[in-house]
Amino acid sequence: MTLRSVFAATLLAAISLSCNRSHVTTVAMIPKASADIILADEEKALQSPDGLFKDEHVWESQAKGKSYITSNRLVIRDAAGAPSYIVNVVDDVTERRIANEKIAHLAHYDALTDLPNRVLFREQIERELQNAIRGEQFALLYIDIDEFKGINDSLGHHVGDELLKAVAARIRGCIKPTDLIARLGGDEFAVIQTAVGDRADVVEFVTRIHDAIRQPYQCLGHHLATDASIGIALAPQDGTELDQLIKSADLAMYGAKAEGRRTHRFFEPAMDARAKARLTMEQDLRQAMIDGGFEIHYQPLVDLGSNEVSGCEALLRWRHPERGMVSPAEFIPLAEDTGLINELGDWVMQTACAEAAAWPSRVRLAVNVSPVQLKSPTLALRITGALAASGLSPDRLEIEITEAVLIHDDETALAILHQLRAIGVRIALDDFGTGFSSLSYLKRFPFDKIKIDRCFVSDIEVDGSAAIVQAVVNIAAARNMTTTAEGVETEAQREVLRKLGCTQMQGYLFSRPKPASEIRPLLGVSSEPARASA
C-alpha cells in the first residue's frame, strides 16, 4: 500500500465514523519523508503563507449517497519546520448536492405534474427539428383544456390542480416511448408525436387523446368532465424553426377554440393572416378609445298598447377612419377577449345615462352588459357612480344580459345583479329562447323583462312561432315580467304580437338605431345635446 493510500484510508475511516456530522476533522501523524512526498505531488504549489491549502475537492464516500468536500488542509510543522501533521477539514455536502439537484430539476420540470416544462420542451423540439431536416416528420400538438377556468374558479385551485394532474396522466398514457410531453403552464399541454407518416397517423393519435381526456374524473370528491381544444402543426412543412412551429401550433389551437372547442385543427396559412388582421384590429380598437372613435346609437322600444316610445336601447358603434362603420359582431368579441370591454362598457354607461337624464321620465334606458363585465366585482359600484353623476333615476335604467352570464352559475354575476336590483335598476334577459335551458334561468334570477329573440318574430305568422311567443308571454305575465319582441319589421308582425299580449316591440318597423340627436325628436324633446349634471 502506498503512502497516499495509507493517508486516504485514514481519512475514510475517520469519515465513516462521523458520517452523521456536517464537519469532520481528520489528523494524520506522518513521518517527515512521507509528508514531503504528499506535499511534493500536488500541495506545495497550493500552500498559502499561513500554512493553509487553497485546494477544494468534492468526492463521494463509501457511505451510500453521501458527498463530501475537502478544504482548509493545514500542515503542522515541528520546531525545525518539517511537516509532522496534516489536518483536513471535511464538510458533508450531501444536502447541498440534493438541493442543487432539486433546483436543476425544478428549472426543467413542472412542479405540479412533473412533466417537462416549457424550457426543457423547447430544447426537445430543437432536437426533433434537427431530425426533421433529415426527413423525419413529426407533429407538435398544443392542447388547451376546455372550461378549466370555470372549474378552477368555482371549485377551487386544489380541485383544479388535481384535475390537471389527472389530465397529464391521461395524455401521458396515450404516447409512445419516443414521443414527448410537457406542461406549458396553466391548462396548456404540448406533445411531440414522433415518426409521423401522414395526417391519418396524427388524427388517430389526437382521437386517442380526446377519448382519454373525455373520460369522467373524480377529483377530491367532485365528479368532473372536461374536453380539450387541440392545435396541430407538422414539421417540417409548418415550420423549420422553433418559434415558427410553436406559433403555428398555437394558432391552430385557437382555431379549434374558435370552432366551438372540443375539437382539433391542423395549422393552415390562412390562420396566420387572420391572426395578423386580429392584431391590427386590436391596435385600432385601442387607438379608437384614445381618439374617441366610438358612438352610441339608440333604438326605440315602443309600447304595443299605447304606441308610445317607452324606452331606448343604447347600441355601441365604431366609426373606423378607413373602414367606416365596423360591425359590433366583429369588435365586441375582440373587446371581450382583450378585456377592453370593461373600459368601453363604462364609457357607454356614463354617456348613455347622461343622455337619458334629459329624456321624459316615462322613457327608460336599456344598456347591454356582457358576461365579461359581470365578472368584475366593482361593476355595480361603477354603474351606481354613472347614475349618480348623470342624475338618472335607477328605476329608469334597464340592464340587458344574455343567458351566457348564468350558464355556469356564476356567483359573482348573480351577486352583482342582486346588488343592482337592490338599488332599483331593472334587469332584462336578452335573446330569450335561443339557449338550451332558458326556462331554468327564470328560476335562478327574478328578471323584470324577457326579450323575445327575433328568430321567433320573423316567422311568427307561418311556422308556429306564435305558439312559442304566447307561451313566453304567459310565463312572463305569471312572474310579473314584461316582454319585448325584437326585430319587428312588418305591421302584420306587430298585430300578432299585440294580440298575443306582448308588452313592447323593437325593430325597423318603427325606427332603426339612430344617433342621440336624431332620436330626441321621437321622444318629444329638444335636439340639443344632453349634458351630464355636475
Side-chain angles (χ1 to χ4, degrees), residues 298-303 308-314 356 359-366 396 398 400 449 451 484 504-506 510-511 519 522-523:
Y298 300 87
Q299 186 172 34
L301 287 74
V302 179
D303 189 284
E308 288 187 334
V309 176
S310 54
C312 286
E313 180 180 358
W359 297 344
S361 58
R362 73 175 192 280
V363 181
R364 287 193 172 99
L365 167 70
R396 289 183 58 202
E398 205 163 70
E400 294 187 5
K449 177 191 284 188
K451 298 194 75 175
T484 299
Q504 292 177 327
M505 60 153 277
Q506 177 181 5
F510 184 82
S511 175
I519 210 71
L522 297 177
L523 311 180

PDB file of all heavy atoms in Angstrom, residues 298-303 308-314 356 359-366 396 398 400 449 451 484 504-506 510-511 519 522-523:
ATOM      1  N   TYR A 298     -79.221  54.849 -30.580  1.00  0.00           N
ATOM      2  CA  TYR A 298     -80.330  54.439 -29.722  1.00  0.00           C
ATOM      3  C   TYR A 298     -81.480  53.919 -30.578  1.00  0.00           C
ATOM      4  O   TYR A 298     -81.846  54.538 -31.572  1.00  0.00           O
ATOM      5  CB  TYR A 298     -80.807  55.609 -28.861  1.00  0.00           C
ATOM      6  CG  TYR A 298     -79.739  56.158 -27.944  1.00  0.00           C
ATOM      7  CD1 TYR A 298     -78.848  57.137 -28.395  1.00  0.00           C
ATOM      8  CD2 TYR A 298     -79.613  55.700 -26.640  1.00  0.00           C
ATOM      9  CE1 TYR A 298     -77.864  57.644 -27.563  1.00  0.00           C
ATOM     10  CE2 TYR A 298     -78.620  56.198 -25.803  1.00  0.00           C
ATOM     11  CZ  TYR A 298     -77.745  57.167 -26.271  1.00  0.00           C
ATOM     12  OH  TYR A 298     -76.767  57.666 -25.452  1.00  0.00           O
ATOM     13  N   GLN A 299     -82.027  52.766 -30.192  1.00  0.00           N
ATOM     14  CA  GLN A 299     -83.199  52.232 -30.900  1.00  0.00           C
ATOM     15  C   GLN A 299     -84.401  52.249 -29.959  1.00  0.00           C
ATOM     16  O   GLN A 299     -84.353  51.688 -28.863  1.00  0.00           O
ATOM     17  CB  GLN A 299     -82.949  50.812 -31.402  1.00  0.00           C
ATOM     18  CG  GLN A 299     -84.107  50.289 -32.264  1.00  0.00           C
ATOM     19  CD  GLN A 299     -83.794  48.972 -32.934  1.00  0.00           C
ATOM     20  OE1 GLN A 299     -83.096  48.137 -32.373  1.00  0.00           O
ATOM     21  NE2 GLN A 299     -84.317  48.774 -34.142  1.00  0.00           N
ATOM     22  N   PRO A 300     -85.508  52.864 -30.395  1.00  0.00           N
ATOM     23  CA  PRO A 300     -86.689  52.981 -29.519  1.00  0.00           C
ATOM     24  C   PRO A 300     -87.353  51.629 -29.245  1.00  0.00           C
ATOM     25  O   PRO A 300     -87.339  50.722 -30.082  1.00  0.00           O
ATOM     26  CB  PRO A 300     -87.627  53.890 -30.320  1.00  0.00           C
ATOM     27  CG  PRO A 300     -86.751  54.586 -31.301  1.00  0.00           C
ATOM     28  CD  PRO A 300     -85.677  53.609 -31.645  1.00  0.00           C
ATOM     29  N   LEU A 301     -87.943  51.534 -28.068  1.00  0.00           N
ATOM     30  CA  LEU A 301     -88.816  50.426 -27.686  1.00  0.00           C
ATOM     31  C   LEU A 301     -90.215  51.009 -27.569  1.00  0.00           C
ATOM     32  O   LEU A 301     -90.430  51.974 -26.817  1.00  0.00           O
ATOM     33  CB  LEU A 301     -88.394  49.794 -26.360  1.00  0.00           C
ATOM     34  CG  LEU A 301     -87.123  48.925 -26.371  1.00  0.00           C
ATOM     35  CD1 LEU A 301     -85.856  49.767 -26.476  1.00  0.00           C
ATOM     36  CD2 LEU A 301     -87.053  48.068 -25.113  1.00  0.00           C
ATOM     37  N   VAL A 302     -91.156  50.459 -28.317  1.00  0.00           N
ATOM     38  CA  VAL A 302     -92.494  51.032 -28.413  1.00  0.00           C
ATOM     39  C   VAL A 302     -93.488  50.189 -27.637  1.00  0.00           C
ATOM     40  O   VAL A 302     -93.530  48.951 -27.784  1.00  0.00           O
ATOM     41  CB  VAL A 302     -92.932  51.138 -29.889  1.00  0.00           C
ATOM     42  CG1 VAL A 302     -94.341  51.728 -29.988  1.00  0.00           C
ATOM     43  CG2 VAL A 302     -91.944  51.995 -30.672  1.00  0.00           C
ATOM     44  N   ASP A 303     -94.312  50.842 -26.829  1.00  0.00           N
ATOM     45  CA  ASP A 303     -95.361  50.166 -26.076  1.00  0.00           C
ATOM     46  C   ASP A 303     -96.457  49.729 -27.041  1.00  0.00           C
ATOM     47  O   ASP A 303     -97.011  50.546 -27.782  1.00  0.00           O
ATOM     48  CB  ASP A 303     -95.925  51.105 -25.011  1.00  0.00           C
ATOM     49  CG  ASP A 303     -96.865  50.398 -24.069  1.00  0.00           C
ATOM     50  OD1 ASP A 303     -98.011  50.123 -24.471  1.00  0.00           O
ATOM     51  OD2 ASP A 303     -96.465  50.131 -22.922  1.00  0.00           O
ATOM     52  N   GLU A 308     -96.623  54.445 -27.786  1.00  0.00           N
ATOM     53  CA  GLU A 308     -95.654  55.464 -27.389  1.00  0.00           C
ATOM     54  C   GLU A 308     -94.285  54.832 -27.170  1.00  0.00           C
ATOM     55  O   GLU A 308     -94.176  53.654 -26.807  1.00  0.00           O
ATOM     56  CB  GLU A 308     -96.097  56.153 -26.093  1.00  0.00           C
ATOM     57  CG  GLU A 308     -97.272  57.088 -26.225  1.00  0.00           C
ATOM     58  CD  GLU A 308     -97.513  57.846 -24.933  1.00  0.00           C
ATOM     59  OE1 GLU A 308     -97.138  57.332 -23.853  1.00  0.00           O
ATOM     60  OE2 GLU A 308     -98.074  58.953 -25.004  1.00  0.00           O
ATOM     61  N   VAL A 309     -93.251  55.638 -27.357  1.00  0.00           N
ATOM     62  CA  VAL A 309     -91.888  55.189 -27.048  1.00  0.00           C
ATOM     63  C   VAL A 309     -91.746  55.127 -25.534  1.00  0.00           C
ATOM     64  O   VAL A 309     -91.897  56.135 -24.844  1.00  0.00           O
ATOM     65  CB  VAL A 309     -90.832  56.129 -27.659  1.00  0.00           C
ATOM     66  CG1 VAL A 309     -89.436  55.683 -27.226  1.00  0.00           C
ATOM     67  CG2 VAL A 309     -90.935  56.150 -29.175  1.00  0.00           C
ATOM     68  N   SER A 310     -91.464  53.943 -25.034  1.00  0.00           N
ATOM     69  CA  SER A 310     -91.334  53.773 -23.581  1.00  0.00           C
ATOM     70  C   SER A 310     -89.897  53.497 -23.150  1.00  0.00           C
ATOM     71  O   SER A 310     -89.612  53.383 -21.955  1.00  0.00           O
ATOM     72  CB  SER A 310     -92.244  52.633 -23.099  1.00  0.00           C
ATOM     73  OG  SER A 310     -91.972  51.446 -23.827  1.00  0.00           O
ATOM     74  N   GLY A 311     -89.010  53.371 -24.135  1.00  0.00           N
ATOM     75  CA  GLY A 311     -87.618  53.137 -23.800  1.00  0.00           C
ATOM     76  C   GLY A 311     -86.737  53.202 -25.022  1.00  0.00           C
ATOM     77  O   GLY A 311     -87.224  53.250 -26.161  1.00  0.00           O
ATOM     78  N   CYS A 312     -85.424  53.219 -24.815  1.00  0.00           N
ATOM     79  CA  CYS A 312     -84.448  53.189 -25.911  1.00  0.00           C
ATOM     80  C   CYS A 312     -83.277  52.313 -25.481  1.00  0.00           C
ATOM     81  O   CYS A 312     -82.803  52.405 -24.342  1.00  0.00           O
ATOM     82  CB  CYS A 312     -83.935  54.592 -26.236  1.00  0.00           C
ATOM     83  SG  CYS A 312     -85.102  55.633 -27.123  1.00  0.00           S
ATOM     84  N   GLU A 313     -82.838  51.481 -26.426  1.00  0.00           N
ATOM     85  CA  GLU A 313     -81.679  50.639 -26.165  1.00  0.00           C
ATOM     86  C   GLU A 313     -80.428  51.314 -26.716  1.00  0.00           C
ATOM     87  O   GLU A 313     -80.398  51.739 -27.869  1.00  0.00           O
ATOM     88  CB  GLU A 313     -81.845  49.265 -26.811  1.00  0.00           C
ATOM     89  CG  GLU A 313     -80.650  48.343 -26.563  1.00  0.00           C
ATOM     90  CD  GLU A 313     -80.807  46.978 -27.199  1.00  0.00           C
ATOM     91  OE1 GLU A 313     -81.859  46.723 -27.816  1.00  0.00           O
ATOM     92  OE2 GLU A 313     -79.864  46.164 -27.077  1.00  0.00           O
ATOM     93  N   ALA A 314     -79.403  51.440 -25.871  1.00  0.00           N
ATOM     94  CA  ALA A 314     -78.128  52.041 -26.279  1.00  0.00           C
ATOM     95  C   ALA A 314     -77.292  50.986 -26.976  1.00  0.00           C
ATOM     96  O   ALA A 314     -77.051  49.895 -26.435  1.00  0.00           O
ATOM     97  CB  ALA A 314     -77.387  52.582 -25.062  1.00  0.00           C
ATOM     98  N   ALA A 356     -79.813  60.000 -21.320  1.00  0.00           N
ATOM     99  CA  ALA A 356     -81.168  59.620 -20.919  1.00  0.00           C
ATOM    100  C   ALA A 356     -81.728  60.498 -19.819  1.00  0.00           C
ATOM    101  O   ALA A 356     -82.954  60.609 -19.673  1.00  0.00           O
ATOM    102  CB  ALA A 356     -81.171  58.160 -20.464  1.00  0.00           C
ATOM    103  N   TRP A 359     -84.281  62.855 -21.113  1.00  0.00           N
ATOM    104  CA  TRP A 359     -85.482  62.338 -21.759  1.00  0.00           C
ATOM    105  C   TRP A 359     -86.675  62.448 -20.809  1.00  0.00           C
ATOM    106  O   TRP A 359     -86.495  62.594 -19.585  1.00  0.00           O
ATOM    107  CB  TRP A 359     -85.298  60.855 -22.140  1.00  0.00           C
ATOM    108  CG  TRP A 359     -84.208  60.584 -23.137  1.00  0.00           C
ATOM    109  CD1 TRP A 359     -83.585  61.479 -23.957  1.00  0.00           C
ATOM    110  CD2 TRP A 359     -83.612  59.300 -23.411  1.00  0.00           C
ATOM    111  NE1 TRP A 359     -82.650  60.851 -24.731  1.00  0.00           N
ATOM    112  CE2 TRP A 359     -82.652  59.509 -24.433  1.00  0.00           C
ATOM    113  CE3 TRP A 359     -83.808  58.014 -22.933  1.00  0.00           C
ATOM    114  CZ2 TRP A 359     -81.878  58.471 -24.945  1.00  0.00           C
ATOM    115  CZ3 TRP A 359     -83.055  56.978 -23.442  1.00  0.00           C
ATOM    116  CH2 TRP A 359     -82.091  57.200 -24.443  1.00  0.00           C
ATOM    117  N   PRO A 360     -87.891  62.312 -21.352  1.00  0.00           N
ATOM    118  CA  PRO A 360     -89.070  62.270 -20.479  1.00  0.00           C
ATOM    119  C   PRO A 360     -88.968  61.124 -19.479  1.00  0.00           C
ATOM    120  O   PRO A 360     -88.396  60.068 -19.779  1.00  0.00           O
ATOM    121  CB  PRO A 360     -90.226  62.042 -21.465  1.00  0.00           C
ATOM    122  CG  PRO A 360     -89.729  62.582 -22.765  1.00  0.00           C
ATOM    123  CD  PRO A 360     -88.265  62.291 -22.788  1.00  0.00           C
ATOM    124  N   SER A 361     -89.548  61.297 -18.314  1.00  0.00           N
ATOM    125  CA  SER A 361     -89.385  60.317 -17.246  1.00  0.00           C
ATOM    126  C   SER A 361     -89.990  58.958 -17.592  1.00  0.00           C
ATOM    127  O   SER A 361     -89.630  57.932 -17.001  1.00  0.00           O
ATOM    128  CB  SER A 361     -90.004  60.833 -15.954  1.00  0.00           C
ATOM    129  OG  SER A 361     -91.381  61.114 -16.148  1.00  0.00           O
ATOM    130  N   ARG A 362     -90.920  58.921 -18.557  1.00  0.00           N
ATOM    131  CA  ARG A 362     -91.530  57.639 -18.939  1.00  0.00           C
ATOM    132  C   ARG A 362     -90.593  56.774 -19.782  1.00  0.00           C
ATOM    133  O   ARG A 362     -90.829  55.580 -19.970  1.00  0.00           O
ATOM    134  CB  ARG A 362     -92.813  57.887 -19.744  1.00  0.00           C
ATOM    135  CG  ARG A 362     -92.568  58.394 -21.151  1.00  0.00           C
ATOM    136  CD  ARG A 362     -93.801  58.525 -22.005  1.00  0.00           C
ATOM    137  NE  ARG A 362     -93.455  58.748 -23.420  1.00  0.00           N
ATOM    138  CZ  ARG A 362     -93.101  59.901 -23.919  1.00  0.00           C
ATOM    139  NH1 ARG A 362     -93.059  60.978 -23.127  1.00  0.00           N
ATOM    140  NH2 ARG A 362     -92.790  60.024 -25.213  1.00  0.00           N
ATOM    141  N   VAL A 363     -89.533  57.386 -20.319  1.00  0.00           N
ATOM    142  CA  VAL A 363     -88.632  56.681 -21.244  1.00  0.00           C
ATOM    143  C   VAL A 363     -87.448  56.099 -20.476  1.00  0.00           C
ATOM    144  O   VAL A 363     -86.651  56.835 -19.884  1.00  0.00           O
ATOM    145  CB  VAL A 363     -88.133  57.612 -22.358  1.00  0.00           C
ATOM    146  CG1 VAL A 363     -87.230  56.851 -23.318  1.00  0.00           C
ATOM    147  CG2 VAL A 363     -89.312  58.232 -23.099  1.00  0.00           C
ATOM    148  N   ARG A 364     -87.344  54.773 -20.509  1.00  0.00           N
ATOM    149  CA  ARG A 364     -86.239  54.098 -19.835  1.00  0.00           C
ATOM    150  C   ARG A 364     -85.053  53.940 -20.792  1.00  0.00           C
ATOM    151  O   ARG A 364     -85.208  53.961 -22.010  1.00  0.00           O
ATOM    152  CB  ARG A 364     -86.670  52.718 -19.338  1.00  0.00           C
ATOM    153  CG  ARG A 364     -87.589  52.758 -18.130  1.00  0.00           C
ATOM    154  CD  ARG A 364     -87.690  51.363 -17.511  1.00  0.00           C
ATOM    155  NE  ARG A 364     -88.403  51.391 -16.247  1.00  0.00           N
ATOM    156  CZ  ARG A 364     -89.681  51.079 -16.098  1.00  0.00           C
ATOM    157  NH1 ARG A 364     -90.388  50.704 -17.157  1.00  0.00           N
ATOM    158  NH2 ARG A 364     -90.246  51.124 -14.919  1.00  0.00           N
ATOM    159  N   LEU A 365     -83.888  53.718 -20.206  1.00  0.00           N
ATOM    160  CA  LEU A 365     -82.658  53.451 -20.961  1.00  0.00           C
ATOM    161  C   LEU A 365     -82.273  51.994 -20.762  1.00  0.00           C
ATOM    162  O   LEU A 365     -82.172  51.519 -19.626  1.00  0.00           O
ATOM    163  CB  LEU A 365     -81.519  54.354 -20.461  1.00  0.00           C
ATOM    164  CG  LEU A 365     -80.108  53.990 -20.940  1.00  0.00           C
ATOM    165  CD1 LEU A 365     -79.970  54.276 -22.440  1.00  0.00           C
ATOM    166  CD2 LEU A 365     -79.052  54.771 -20.152  1.00  0.00           C
ATOM    167  N   ALA A 366     -82.042  51.280 -21.859  1.00  0.00           N
ATOM    168  CA  ALA A 366     -81.578  49.891 -21.782  1.00  0.00           C
ATOM    169  C   ALA A 366     -80.134  49.827 -22.249  1.00  0.00           C
ATOM    170  O   ALA A 366     -79.793  50.353 -23.309  1.00  0.00           O
ATOM    171  CB  ALA A 366     -82.458  48.994 -22.646  1.00  0.00           C
ATOM    172  N   ARG A 396     -85.014  53.939 -13.977  1.00  0.00           N
ATOM    173  CA  ARG A 396     -85.103  54.227 -15.410  1.00  0.00           C
ATOM    174  C   ARG A 396     -83.985  53.541 -16.204  1.00  0.00           C
ATOM    175  O   ARG A 396     -83.935  53.662 -17.423  1.00  0.00           O
ATOM    176  CB  ARG A 396     -85.062  55.744 -15.655  1.00  0.00           C
ATOM    177  CG  ARG A 396     -86.335  56.456 -15.196  1.00  0.00           C
ATOM    178  CD  ARG A 396     -86.269  57.926 -15.528  1.00  0.00           C
ATOM    179  NE  ARG A 396     -86.072  58.119 -16.972  1.00  0.00           N
ATOM    180  CZ  ARG A 396     -85.568  59.239 -17.495  1.00  0.00           C
ATOM    181  NH1 ARG A 396     -85.185  60.243 -16.711  1.00  0.00           N
ATOM    182  NH2 ARG A 396     -85.436  59.350 -18.810  1.00  0.00           N
ATOM    183  N   GLU A 398     -82.235  50.003 -17.359  1.00  0.00           N
ATOM    184  CA  GLU A 398     -82.511  48.587 -17.548  1.00  0.00           C
ATOM    185  C   GLU A 398     -81.243  47.921 -18.078  1.00  0.00           C
ATOM    186  O   GLU A 398     -80.753  48.272 -19.161  1.00  0.00           O
ATOM    187  CB  GLU A 398     -83.640  48.441 -18.563  1.00  0.00           C
ATOM    188  CG  GLU A 398     -84.439  47.161 -18.447  1.00  0.00           C
ATOM    189  CD  GLU A 398     -85.763  47.296 -19.182  1.00  0.00           C
ATOM    190  OE1 GLU A 398     -85.732  47.350 -20.429  1.00  0.00           O
ATOM    191  OE2 GLU A 398     -86.812  47.368 -18.515  1.00  0.00           O
ATOM    192  N   GLU A 400     -79.454  44.809 -19.723  1.00  0.00           N
ATOM    193  CA  GLU A 400     -79.780  43.624 -20.512  1.00  0.00           C
ATOM    194  C   GLU A 400     -78.604  42.658 -20.479  1.00  0.00           C
ATOM    195  O   GLU A 400     -77.463  43.034 -20.791  1.00  0.00           O
ATOM    196  CB  GLU A 400     -80.100  44.006 -21.961  1.00  0.00           C
ATOM    197  CG  GLU A 400     -81.365  44.844 -22.102  1.00  0.00           C
ATOM    198  CD  GLU A 400     -81.748  45.050 -23.557  1.00  0.00           C
ATOM    199  OE1 GLU A 400     -81.081  44.467 -24.451  1.00  0.00           O
ATOM    200  OE2 GLU A 400     -82.707  45.796 -23.810  1.00  0.00           O
ATOM    201  N   LYS A 449     -87.826  41.689 -17.125  1.00  0.00           N
ATOM    202  CA  LYS A 449     -88.273  41.653 -18.514  1.00  0.00           C
ATOM    203  C   LYS A 449     -87.636  40.481 -19.243  1.00  0.00           C
ATOM    204  O   LYS A 449     -86.489  40.091 -18.945  1.00  0.00           O
ATOM    205  CB  LYS A 449     -87.896  42.954 -19.229  1.00  0.00           C
ATOM    206  CG  LYS A 449     -88.258  42.982 -20.713  1.00  0.00           C
ATOM    207  CD  LYS A 449     -87.640  44.173 -21.421  1.00  0.00           C
ATOM    208  CE  LYS A 449     -88.390  45.450 -21.105  1.00  0.00           C
ATOM    209  NZ  LYS A 449     -87.904  46.586 -21.949  1.00  0.00           N
ATOM    210  N   LYS A 451     -86.764  39.483 -23.243  1.00  0.00           N
ATOM    211  CA  LYS A 451     -86.726  39.937 -24.635  1.00  0.00           C
ATOM    212  C   LYS A 451     -86.804  38.710 -25.547  1.00  0.00           C
ATOM    213  O   LYS A 451     -85.958  37.822 -25.477  1.00  0.00           O
ATOM    214  CB  LYS A 451     -85.462  40.750 -24.915  1.00  0.00           C
ATOM    215  CG  LYS A 451     -85.361  42.029 -24.078  1.00  0.00           C
ATOM    216  CD  LYS A 451     -84.297  42.975 -24.607  1.00  0.00           C
ATOM    217  CE  LYS A 451     -84.745  43.671 -25.866  1.00  0.00           C
ATOM    218  NZ  LYS A 451     -83.793  44.671 -26.342  1.00  0.00           N
ATOM    219  N   THR A 484     -90.532  42.092 -24.460  1.00  0.00           N
ATOM    220  CA  THR A 484     -90.199  42.914 -25.621  1.00  0.00           C
ATOM    221  C   THR A 484     -89.866  41.994 -26.788  1.00  0.00           C
ATOM    222  O   THR A 484     -89.003  41.119 -26.662  1.00  0.00           O
ATOM    223  CB  THR A 484     -88.992  43.829 -25.339  1.00  0.00           C
ATOM    224  OG1 THR A 484     -89.300  44.712 -24.271  1.00  0.00           O
ATOM    225  CG2 THR A 484     -88.639  44.644 -26.582  1.00  0.00           C
ATOM    226  N   GLN A 504     -93.967  45.139 -25.408  1.00  0.00           N
ATOM    227  CA  GLN A 504     -93.240  46.113 -26.228  1.00  0.00           C
ATOM    228  C   GLN A 504     -92.774  45.478 -27.530  1.00  0.00           C
ATOM    229  O   GLN A 504     -92.697  44.253 -27.652  1.00  0.00           O
ATOM    230  CB  GLN A 504     -91.998  46.649 -25.489  1.00  0.00           C
ATOM    231  CG  GLN A 504     -92.248  47.512 -24.282  1.00  0.00           C
ATOM    232  CD  GLN A 504     -90.931  47.890 -23.618  1.00  0.00           C
ATOM    233  OE1 GLN A 504     -89.970  47.131 -23.626  1.00  0.00           O
ATOM    234  NE2 GLN A 504     -90.881  49.085 -23.032  1.00  0.00           N
ATOM    235  N   MET A 505     -92.433  46.342 -28.483  1.00  0.00           N
ATOM    236  CA  MET A 505     -91.791  45.901 -29.719  1.00  0.00           C
ATOM    237  C   MET A 505     -90.588  46.784 -30.004  1.00  0.00           C
ATOM    238  O   MET A 505     -90.513  47.923 -29.552  1.00  0.00           O
ATOM    239  CB  MET A 505     -92.759  45.968 -30.893  1.00  0.00           C
ATOM    240  CG  MET A 505     -93.317  47.352 -31.175  1.00  0.00           C
ATOM    241  SD  MET A 505     -93.786  47.611 -32.884  1.00  0.00           S
ATOM    242  CE  MET A 505     -92.215  48.037 -33.607  1.00  0.00           C
ATOM    243  N   GLN A 506     -89.655  46.220 -30.746  1.00  0.00           N
ATOM    244  CA  GLN A 506     -88.432  46.930 -31.112  1.00  0.00           C
ATOM    245  C   GLN A 506     -88.029  46.453 -32.497  1.00  0.00           C
ATOM    246  O   GLN A 506     -88.000  45.251 -32.745  1.00  0.00           O
ATOM    247  CB  GLN A 506     -87.323  46.608 -30.099  1.00  0.00           C
ATOM    248  CG  GLN A 506     -85.973  47.218 -30.371  1.00  0.00           C
ATOM    249  CD  GLN A 506     -84.941  46.800 -29.316  1.00  0.00           C
ATOM    250  OE1 GLN A 506     -85.224  45.988 -28.441  1.00  0.00           O
ATOM    251  NE2 GLN A 506     -83.744  47.351 -29.408  1.00  0.00           N
ATOM    252  N   PHE A 510     -90.596  50.591 -36.650  1.00  0.00           N
ATOM    253  CA  PHE A 510     -90.727  51.925 -36.056  1.00  0.00           C
ATOM    254  C   PHE A 510     -89.489  52.773 -36.309  1.00  0.00           C
ATOM    255  O   PHE A 510     -89.583  53.903 -36.763  1.00  0.00           O
ATOM    256  CB  PHE A 510     -90.982  51.819 -34.547  1.00  0.00           C
ATOM    257  CG  PHE A 510     -91.217  53.150 -33.905  1.00  0.00           C
ATOM    258  CD1 PHE A 510     -92.473  53.751 -33.950  1.00  0.00           C
ATOM    259  CD2 PHE A 510     -90.179  53.833 -33.257  1.00  0.00           C
ATOM    260  CE1 PHE A 510     -92.686  54.995 -33.372  1.00  0.00           C
ATOM    261  CE2 PHE A 510     -90.385  55.066 -32.680  1.00  0.00           C
ATOM    262  CZ  PHE A 510     -91.642  55.661 -32.735  1.00  0.00           C
ATOM    263  N   SER A 511     -88.302  52.228 -36.040  1.00  0.00           N
ATOM    264  CA  SER A 511     -87.083  53.017 -36.226  1.00  0.00           C
ATOM    265  C   SER A 511     -85.843  52.133 -36.155  1.00  0.00           C
ATOM    266  O   SER A 511     -85.767  51.195 -35.367  1.00  0.00           O
ATOM    267  CB  SER A 511     -86.982  54.098 -35.146  1.00  0.00           C
ATOM    268  OG  SER A 511     -85.755  54.795 -35.250  1.00  0.00           O
ATOM    269  N   ILE A 519     -82.642  60.806 -32.321  1.00  0.00           N
ATOM    270  CA  ILE A 519     -83.627  60.065 -31.549  1.00  0.00           C
ATOM    271  C   ILE A 519     -84.459  60.990 -30.668  1.00  0.00           C
ATOM    272  O   ILE A 519     -85.616  60.689 -30.326  1.00  0.00           O
ATOM    273  CB  ILE A 519     -82.945  58.960 -30.700  1.00  0.00           C
ATOM    274  CG1 ILE A 519     -83.901  57.764 -30.501  1.00  0.00           C
ATOM    275  CG2 ILE A 519     -82.504  59.483 -29.340  1.00  0.00           C
ATOM    276  CD1 ILE A 519     -84.119  56.963 -31.743  1.00  0.00           C
ATOM    277  N   LEU A 522     -88.079  61.937 -31.591  1.00  0.00           N
ATOM    278  CA  LEU A 522     -89.033  60.842 -31.453  1.00  0.00           C
ATOM    279  C   LEU A 522     -89.552  60.728 -30.019  1.00  0.00           C
ATOM    280  O   LEU A 522     -90.600  60.108 -29.780  1.00  0.00           O
ATOM    281  CB  LEU A 522     -88.395  59.512 -31.864  1.00  0.00           C
ATOM    282  CG  LEU A 522     -87.944  59.382 -33.323  1.00  0.00           C
ATOM    283  CD1 LEU A 522     -87.258  58.038 -33.540  1.00  0.00           C
ATOM    284  CD2 LEU A 522     -89.131  59.525 -34.263  1.00  0.00           C
ATOM    285  N   LEU A 523     -88.790  61.308 -29.110  1.00  0.00           N
ATOM    286  CA  LEU A 523     -89.170  61.257 -27.692  1.00  0.00           C
ATOM    287  C   LEU A 523     -89.880  62.518 -27.245  1.00  0.00           C
ATOM    288  O   LEU A 523     -90.318  62.611 -26.090  1.00  0.00           O
ATOM    289  CB  LEU A 523     -87.919  61.040 -26.818  1.00  0.00           C
ATOM    290  CG  LEU A 523     -86.975  59.901 -27.232  1.00  0.00           C
ATOM    291  CD1 LEU A 523     -85.790  59.832 -26.272  1.00  0.00           C
ATOM    292  CD2 LEU A 523     -87.707  58.577 -27.261  1.00  0.00           C
TER     293      LEU A 523
END
